[in-house]
Amino acid sequence: MTSVATGIARKKKISLSELLLRISMFLVIGVITYWLGFNLVIDPRAFLQVSINGINNGLLYALIALGYTLVYGIIELINFAHGDLFMLCSVFSFAILTELFGAKAPGAKNFALLLVVLLLTMIFGAIVNVTIERVAYRRLRNAPKLAPLITAVGMSFVLQWIGLKWVGSVPVNVNTVLPATKYQFAGLEVAFKTFVIFAVTIPILILFVFIVNKTRRGRAMRATAQDKDASRLMGINVNQTISFTFAIAGAAAGAAGIMWAQTIGTVSYNLGFQLGLIAFTSAVLGGVGNLYGAVLGGLIVGLIQAYNDGLTVGPGQRWSQTMVFTILILLMVYRPGGLLGQSSQEKV
Amino acid sequence: MARLDTPVMLKVSDITVGYGAITAVKGLSFEVREGEIVSLIGSNGAGKSTTLRTISGLMHPKTGSIEFRGEKIDGMPGHEIVAKGICHSPEGRRIFPRMSVDENLDLGAYLRKDSAAVKESRERVLELFPRLRERITQKAGTMSGGEQQMLAVGRALMGEPKLLIMDEPSMGLAPVLVDLIFETIETIRKSGVTILLVEQNALAALRIADYAYVLESGHLKLEGDGSKLAVDPAIAQAYLGG
């Protein structure tokens, strides 16, 4: 009863700090909307062009963010090694497709090889991620939260070291198999690469969301995320379910890795740090643990970066990171649970 | 009611279970025969829930053994024990709050492949608890305590158990719901399911039971026919509030 009473009291009287918080939120939203609107009006074509670039990158972020969110959802671990797994996958795809198969120029045969290596890289990512969980995280499942977290940081260094030994310390250029062709649509320029990114990432995102939401395995994953003991009582093999989750997360990182190597055109041992941070930001922005949130967060971060870097009137590229993290900090102030995060209370 | 003269379904022999340095159950032995309702009663911390969790494979005994229909099940992981036919409606209900009632029930039948048979069980559960049918698409976490308890029992029944383990099914419920839960336990038994029950509500648990065991700080203190223990003055004084 008391909690109900205070709840009503709180609703009636908004404190000054809360009021200021709200006003500032509308101010921030207003400024951003004005900035975007202004750019849209002065040069609509450039605006749309920049938007397409943003979505292009955002889809890649979404794939990586999915891995953060899946793993967080099921064992409440921020897997700091995930960005480096993405890096390792991009290096793997480079080693197999470019060096081993020698696919260094556009062509039908090389394009077919790309699809084969896409599959291989996803399998590679899945296997590495499952192994990481098996070797490093599983035995710490009942340990205090800090232990697996630090282990994840350590694992991130291990993967970076492997990447360093694999491709060296200097970024390596990848001779992409994707042609540099550009298509014109109503005055907009869309690169062939962008189509490939759309064609690869969107089905994978849909597939993974489908697996989690509609299949028996996915139901076991969601049950395990909510209550591990109760899941065992349902007959769910909890360890296997967690491994499966890591496999999906790894496969998504694999797809993102090869797409990055082929569209951006460089691989480097320290790629995982920055991309991991951005993807992690995306996951938190969308509400960590929420699949749609990861996709939405990835797209938003991609768009923020693109608008910041590419709009006619804007802060420009050197503010790119600052912008992304400022938006994250602001969002955490106004909506700590993320855009689609769980904020409603459950009855116990 | 008196002990049934049927084959032993569950045989717990001399188990010792603990959490780290704390021993919660010390050398406990008991058995459940086919078709029976067996109650475990005792005060808080007597080791009742620990015993049930050990049978279900959520914990493993340090010593002793557990046999289900002649097969050793101690040391098996929980999901394999469910496959043997032991379903557990745990203490505190432990339903999946962010899933619908429907999905919770489906999870109860997670290991069953025969979808026609699952549909039948579902129908039976919804007949047993018509309330769940009304709430079928609702998120389980938003239901009342009584409804959540019905869901927890219904979900366990979805596994078509041979042995149903119920931990505190009446905890926190209004008296009228408590009666309903106990009636339901009888109904479930009549449908051929053997029941192992742990209850705070000792009197009701003894009345309904064929046989009962009284636990005290991890030991077996007393055992006997449920109806006899229900009128035993020593029991009345210790567990039935006078």
Side-chain angles (χ1 to χ4, degrees):
Chain A
M1 282 311 279
T2 49
S3 67
V4 173
T6 53
I8 291 165
R10 219 178 280 141
K11 253 180 206 165
K12 273 183 187 161
K13 201 177 139 195
I14 298 171
S15 68
L16 187 67
S17 65
E18 247 174 278
L19 195 69
L20 283 175
L21 202 67
R22 262 186 220 181
I23 293 173
S24 66
M25 178 173 78
F26 287 120
L27 267 176
V28 170
I29 294 175
V31 167
I32 293 176
T33 319
Y34 178 75
W35 170 51
L36 293 178
F38 182 72
N39 276 291
L40 180 63
V41 170
I42 60 163
D43 194 348
R45 185 136 46 100
F47 186 85
L48 290 175
Q49 185 70 56
V50 167
S51 303
I52 290 172
N53 297 345
I55 293 171
N56 177 55
N57 288 339
L59 284 169
L60 286 179
Y61 299 156
L63 271 182
I64 312 174
L66 203 64
Y68 276 104
T69 243
L70 278 169
V71 166
Y72 182 83
I74 203 151
I75 56 172
E76 288 185 14
L77 166 73
I78 303 291
N79 184 8
F80 281 114
H82 194 73
D84 300 285
L85 175 71
F86 155 77
M87 175 277 297
L88 211 58
C89 289
S90 69
V91 171
F92 173 86
S93 78
F94 165 71
I96 300 293
L97 184 63
T98 317
E99 304 220 296
L100 186 69
F101 290 166
K104 291 176 181 168
K109 178 181 152 256
N110 286 349
F111 198 72
L113 279 174
L114 170 71
L115 293 179
V116 173
V117 179
L118 168 68
L119 199 67
L120 287 178
T121 311
M122 287 173 77
I123 294 171
F124 172 80
I127 291 175
V128 173
N129 214 22
V130 168
T131 312
I132 290 172
E133 191 270 334
R134 196 63 176 263
V135 172
Y137 303 153
R138 182 170 296 184
R139 61 191 65 230
L140 295 172
R141 206 171 289 155
N142 296 318
K145 288 255 163 73
L146 198 57
L149 202 66
I150 298 294
T151 309
V153 175
M155 197 41 89
S156 154
F157 287 124
V158 171
L159 296 184
Q160 270 189 42
W161 182 81
I162 296 174
L164 182 64
K165 291 289 154 191
W166 203 341
V167 288
S169 57
V170 188
V172 180
N173 284 324
V174 180
N175 292 314
T176 168
V177 304
L178 300 175
T181 329
K182 286 184 172 156
Y183 300 94
Q184 303 285 334
F185 288 100
L188 293 179
E189 235 178 32
V190 184
F192 181 71
K193 288 174 185 178
T194 305
F195 282 112
V196 175
I197 295 238
F198 277 50
V200 170
T201 53
I202 293 175
I204 290 177
L205 287 170
I206 292 174
L207 175 73
F208 287 168
V209 171
F210 175 81
I211 289 177
V212 173
N213 284 330
K214 299 286 178 214
T215 64
R216 183 169 173 271
R217 271 296 176 111
R219 189 176 287 151
M221 283 168 64
R222 283 179 292 131
T224 304
Q226 291 182 38
D227 190 332
K228 290 187 184 48
D229 271 355
S231 299
R232 286 190 185 95
L233 294 178
M234 302 299 105
I236 293 167
N237 185 339
V238 168
N239 281 338
Q240 204 187 66
T241 305
I242 292 174
S243 290
F244 181 71
T245 309
F246 272 83
I248 292 190
I258 186 169
M259 283 299 120
W260 177 276
Q262 289 299 319
T263 56
I264 307 295
T266 56
V267 292
S268 149
Y269 82 98
N270 57 6
L271 190 63
F273 179 71
Q274 199 194 342
L275 262 285
L277 213 53
I278 287 176
F280 171 62
T281 306
S282 311
V284 175
L285 198 74
V288 71
N290 183 312
L291 285 186
Y292 302 110
V295 177
L296 182 69
L299 289 174
I300 290 178
V301 170
L303 284 172
I304 293 172
Q305 271 191 335
Y307 289 146
N308 177 76
D309 301 359
L311 284 184
T312 326
V313 179
Q317 197 156 13
R318 60 187 162 162
W319 290 93
S320 189
Q321 304 285 58
T322 316
M323 199 68 172
V324 169
F325 293 108
T326 308
I327 300 263
L328 176 74
I329 291 169
L330 287 175
L331 192 90
M332 289 297 101
V333 170
Y334 300 122
R335 263 193 84 94
L339 287 172
L340 303 180
Q342 299 270 344
S343 55
S344 63
Q345 280 283 317
E346 279 151 8
K347 268 192 190 174
V348 186
Chain B
M1 279 179 260
R3 177 126 249 190
L4 298 185
D5 196 20
T6 48
V8 174
M9 181 177 256
L10 180 78
K11 190 174 169 64
V12 174
S13 316
D14 198 24
I15 57 164
T16 298
V17 199
Y19 303 83
I22 301 153
T23 308
V25 174
K26 298 159 200 156
L28 178 66
S29 301
F30 67 93
E31 58 183 44
V32 180
R33 296 185 187 170
E34 269 174 37
E36 280 187 327
I37 296 178
V38 169
S39 291
L40 297 183
I41 63 167
S43 52
N44 274 337
K48 300 168 303 206
S49 288
T50 306
T51 306
L52 297 190
R53 288 169 59 83
T54 309
I55 295 170
S56 289
L58 297 181
M59 299 179 69
H60 300 293
K62 286 177 187 156
T63 59
S65 72
I66 303 171
E67 276 177 31
F68 181 64
R69 290 151 60 97
E71 190 182 355
K72 196 170 125 57
I73 59 165
D74 54 282
M76 268 188 197
H79 61 270
E80 284 177 28
I81 292 175
V82 177
K84 301 282 172 214
I86 300 182
C87 292
H88 185 150
S89 153
E91 184 181 16
R93 310 187 271 264
R94 304 290 281 269
I95 48 144
F96 299 105
R98 296 199 292 277
M99 291 190 193
S100 67
V101 170
D102 207 17
E103 276 190 297
N104 269 277
L105 290 177
D106 280 347
L107 275 164
Y110 183 74
L111 289 178
R112 297 174 64 198
K113 302 272 189 281
D114 182 356
S115 61
V118 171
K119 223 174 228 169
E120 262 173 49
S121 312
R122 211 178 110 96
E123 213 38 52
R124 265 204 302 278
V125 167
L126 292 178
E127 247 161 60
L128 199 60
F129 300 113
R131 199 54 177 271
L132 294 182
R133 196 191 298 271
E134 292 165 25
R135 307 262 153 151
I136 198 83
T137 56
Q138 194 174 326
K139 288 261 183 298
T142 63
M143 298 200 300
S144 74
E147 289 163 343
Q148 291 190 11
Q149 185 61 58
M150 291 174 198
L151 180 57
V153 175
R155 186 181 63 175
L157 286 174
M158 286 296 289
E160 282 294 293
K162 298 186 176 81
L163 175 67
L164 174 64
I165 295 179
M166 300 172 94
D167 197 348
E168 304 281 9
S170 77
M171 187 162 63
L173 300 189
V176 68
L177 281 174
V178 173
D179 292 345
L180 176 74
I181 289 283
F182 277 97
E183 274 167 36
T184 311
I185 294 173
E186 292 266 23
T187 317
I188 294 168
R189 187 259 285 275
K190 276 186 197 125
S191 71
V193 180
T194 307
I195 292 167
L196 175 59
L197 175 70
V198 156
E199 257 297 334
Q200 288 278 324
N201 189 342
L203 187 60
L206 289 175
R207 280 191 185 139
I208 199 177
D210 300 296
Y211 204 75
Y213 296 88
V214 182
L215 267 56
E216 197 178 85
S217 19
H219 294 284
L220 183 61
K221 195 188 177 211
L222 260 178
E223 60 179 291
D225 293 345
S227 48
K228 278 185 195 146
L229 288 184
V231 294
D232 187 322
I235 297 279
Q237 203 181 359
Y239 304 105
L240 306 179

